């Protein structure tokens, strides 16, 4: 039995070595991807209904990794691992640089909208995001960027008072704060009042069943709670006209999803935004 235990240990340690090796490998690959400028931010439109017309009021930036041979990796393939190997910090800083650059490009095309970026709790924890954003605001003082950060309820797993402090400081620079994937995590309603939020993003899982008949659905209640707390609502994963109509009826402020468009590269986004102006 002892032998077997030893073997098993050897087996596990080999596994762990392999895991460490893979992680290290991924770290090297992500570093090289940053150097080679293989990351891209795509923009997915956020739409409001104004006087019976759809208007693009914002866009969410979603990262893609496009290798030189043309393969495109979605964030689930590299964001979680970048959070565990620390690469989320330099990648996150690049995202801030890039969103300022994109904002300039859009304004040159007369597209003046709110831009949201996704932010990992790790970037808030070590203040790197705060410093990066401060730096960018100082260096681009004349660029009136309308920026929103999307955070998830996982920030509640860290020191909550520290998180609130950092968020307050970010907010004091005029940046909006949006709680992503609302309803899927562990937030209690009391946290909602403590975090300095501006928006709640209703998770796609609620939107999926929203327009179906005879189902209990919390979407309308979430919108009502948000209104009580003076927060704006964004619905994510909107795919059908039925969902659009019901969300507008319930006075959801902004809609995002494949019904309008997928995340688009910058030239395609500009084309779409200009076509919506007509
Ligand atoms: P998320 O923030 O919840 O982003 C929404 C995801 O839903 C995106 O997937 C988007 O492409 C997809 N989506 C949008 N509309 C629809 C729809 O109508 N139907 C369906 N089925 N899907 C829709 P994506 O781009 O693969 O991103 C996945 C996740 O990766 C994001 O979830 C976010 O948590 C993370 N992520 C993406 N970009 C970044 C980033 O720049 N930084 C960080 N830290 N995380 C990111
Ligand atoms: Ca998001
Ligand atoms: Ca989301
Ligand atoms: Ca989601």
């Amino acid at each position: 039995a002892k032998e077997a235990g030893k073997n098993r240990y050897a087996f596990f340690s080999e596994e762990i070595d392999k895991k460490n090796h893979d992680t290290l490998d991924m770290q090297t690959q992500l570093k090289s991807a940053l150097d080679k400028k293989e990351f891209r931010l795509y923009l997915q439109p956020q739409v409001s209904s104004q006087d019976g017309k759809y208007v693009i009021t914002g866009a969410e930036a979603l990262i893609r990794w496009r290798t030189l041979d043309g393969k495109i990796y979605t964030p689930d393939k590299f964001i979680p691992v970048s959070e565990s190997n620390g690469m989320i910090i330099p990648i996150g800083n690049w995202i801030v640089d890039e969103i300022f650059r994109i904002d300039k490009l859009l304004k040159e095309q007369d597209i003046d909208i709110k831009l949201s970026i996704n932010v990992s709790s790790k970037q808030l924890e070590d203040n790197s995001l705060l410093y990066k954003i401060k730096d960018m605001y100082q260096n681009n003082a004349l660029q009136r960027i309308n920026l929103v950060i999307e955070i998830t309820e996982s920030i509640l797993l860290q020191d909550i008072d520290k998180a609130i402090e950092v968020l307050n400081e970010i907010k004091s620079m005029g940046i909006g704060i949006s709680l992503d994937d609302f309803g899927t995590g562990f937030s209690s309603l009391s946290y909602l009042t403590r975090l300095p939020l501006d928006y709640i993003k209703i998770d796609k899982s609620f939107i999926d069943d929203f327009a179906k008949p005879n189902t209990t659905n919390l979407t309308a209640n979430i919108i009502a709670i948000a209104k009580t707390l003076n927060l704006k609502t964004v619905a994510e994963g909107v795919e059908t006209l039925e969902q659009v109509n019901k969300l507008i009826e319930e006075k959801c402020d902004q809609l995002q999803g494949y019904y309008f468009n997928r995340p688009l590269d910058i030239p395609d986004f500009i084309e779409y935004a200009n076509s919506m102006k007509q």
Side-chain angles (χ1 to χ4, degrees):
K2 209 173 171 199
E3 254 334 273
K6 216 169 157 189
N7 281 341
R8 193 154 58 204
Y9 175 74
F11 171 73
F12 275 133
S13 97
E14 235 169 66
E15 273 289 286
I16 289 166
D17 277 351
K18 188 176 174 314
K19 242 197 172 141
N20 282 340
H21 183 262
D22 287 350
T23 311
L24 204 68
D25 206 46
M26 206 36 191
Q27 196 177 21
T28 312
Q29 285 186 49
L30 289 170
K31 268 191 192 131
S32 130
L34 256 184
D35 286 345
K36 290 193 278 189
K37 305 194 189 318
E38 292 182 344
F39 293 113
R40 294 277 180 285
L41 290 184
Y42 278 40
L43 293 179
Q44 186 173 35
Q46 295 175 328
V47 171
S48 295
S49 167
Q50 293 174 8
D51 310 318
K53 234 186 108 195
Y54 296 135
V55 178
I56 299 186
T57 49
E60 177 181 8
L62 293 154
I63 195 168
R64 302 286 179 266
W65 176 5
R66 191 163 63 189
T67 61
L68 290 178
D69 53 8
K71 268 198 222 106
I72 295 181
Y73 295 103
T74 49
D76 54 302
K77 302 284 189 308
F78 61 92
I79 288 291
V81 42
S82 78
E83 285 173 341
S84 52
N85 68 23
M87 282 305 291
I88 191 65
I89 302 300
I91 293 174
N93 289 341
W94 174 83
I95 290 168
V96 175
D97 281 330
E98 188 63 8
I99 204 68
F100 271 79
R101 191 184 73 84
I102 290 172
D103 179 65
K104 273 203 188 99
L105 279 177
L106 295 182
K107 284 194 175 122
E108 283 166 16
Q109 302 286 328
D110 266 322
I111 302 165
D112 197 349
I113 55 170
K114 168 173 72 72
L115 295 175
S116 301
I117 56 172
N118 289 282
V119 155
S120 155
S121 304
K122 295 271 181 324
Q123 295 169 264
L124 293 169
E125 232 167 309
D126 77 341
N127 282 331
S128 66
L129 181 79
L130 183 61
Y131 293 138
K132 180 65 192 178
I133 287 181
K134 272 191 178 160
D135 200 45
M136 288 304 282
Y137 270 71
Q138 263 157 21
N139 293 331
N140 302 277
L142 295 177
Q143 187 179 347
R144 297 243 164 272
I145 188 168
N146 192 350
L147 189 64
V148 173
I149 62 167
E150 295 192 2
I151 58 171
T152 63
E153 293 165 38
S154 67
I155 66 151
L156 300 174
L157 293 174
Q158 65 188 62
D159 180 348
I160 176 78
D161 293 314
K162 161 97 198 313
I164 291 171
E165 196 185 306
V166 175
L167 291 176
N168 274 326
E169 214 171 323
I170 289 176
K171 187 159 174 159
S172 73
M173 292 187 277
I175 296 167
I177 299 175
S178 180
L179 187 61
D180 205 351
D181 300 337
F182 180 74
T184 60
F186 11 67
S187 66
S188 76
L189 287 175
S190 70
Y191 279 123
L192 275 187
T193 61
R194 287 188 66 199
L195 294 171
L197 301 174
D198 301 285
Y199 304 89
I200 283 177
K201 285 193 89 168
I202 308 164
D203 191 68
K204 177 177 183 300
S205 55
F206 294 99
I207 306 304
D208 282 342
D209 298 333
F210 184 41
K212 290 189 189 142
N214 307 321
T215 54
T216 311
N217 191 280
L218 293 175
T219 304
N221 303 70
I222 295 174
I223 295 171
I225 290 169
K227 293 261 183 282
T228 309
L229 297 171
N230 244 325
L231 304 173
K232 286 211 177 332
T233 46
V234 184
E236 69 171 24
V238 179
E239 294 181 343
T240 68
L241 180 62
E242 288 70 37
Q243 291 166 344
V244 170
N245 288 336
K246 261 201 103 182
L247 286 162
I248 291 173
E249 191 183 310
E250 296 292 342
K251 306 226 159 28
C252 182
D253 297 295
Q254 279 154 29
L255 314 180
Q256 178 182 350
Y258 293 168
Y259 178 77
F260 296 100
N261 230 321
R262 288 168 182 270
L264 300 167
D265 68 15
I266 305 305
D268 285 349
F269 181 83
I270 289 175
E271 201 181 305
Y272 179 68
N274 282 333
S275 78
M276 293 278 281
K277 281 181 188 165
Q278 266 111 61

